[in-house]
Amino acid sequence: MTAPARTSAPTALWVLRILGAALLAAMGWIHLDLWLDGYKSIDVIGPAFLLNTVGGFGLAALLLVTPRRFLPWVAALGALFCAGTLGALIISTTVGLFGFVETTAAALWWESFWVELAGVVVLGALAVLAARRRPS
């Protein structure tokens, strides 16, 4: 009876790992696409988009290769990274960020919003689930 429960938790962890990595990579790709599309010429915002690209792809790779004992920390870091990016998007849309004001009509705004929000939820859930379950 306990065997299915023991195998379903590692499966759930891997599903969340892969989904979380895909969301981080998607966030990185969105920022790279926007950077290449002209955001690179915006002071502070341009370099931040490039750093977000590196961070998104780097965390996606790290999430897939990290040992099980460090998974809660890497997942939490990914969730915080997504939350920070989402916060910056909302701030730039409402009051502006570093002198730059974004609009929801901008290219990939909504895609970015949903990917970042999903990243917070998925990676947050992964961090909690991985922390609750001891390595076997």
Side-chain angles (χ1 to χ4, degrees), residues 17-111:
R17 262 194 207 222
I18 292 167
L19 184 55
L23 289 164
L24 284 163
M27 187 174 73
W29 176 85
I30 287 170
H31 283 82
L32 177 60
D33 185 59
L34 292 170
W35 184 80
L36 291 170
D37 197 34
Y39 279 62
K40 64 183 163 190
S41 63
I42 303 169
D43 284 341
V44 181
I45 300 296
F49 270 51
L50 195 54
L51 285 173
N52 192 284
T53 297
V54 172
F57 285 125
L59 281 169
L62 184 61
L63 191 63
L64 294 175
V65 301
T66 194
R68 169 68 184 85
R69 70 178 178 262
F70 298 122
L71 184 57
W73 297 103
V74 174
L77 181 61
L80 289 171
F81 189 68
C82 288
T85 304
L86 179 60
L89 176 68
I90 292 169
I91 290 169
S92 72
T93 307
T94 54
V95 296
L97 187 63
F98 302 113
F100 178 74
V101 180
E102 188 63 87
T103 173
T104 58
L108 299 176
W109 193 96
W110 285 103
E111 291 85 347

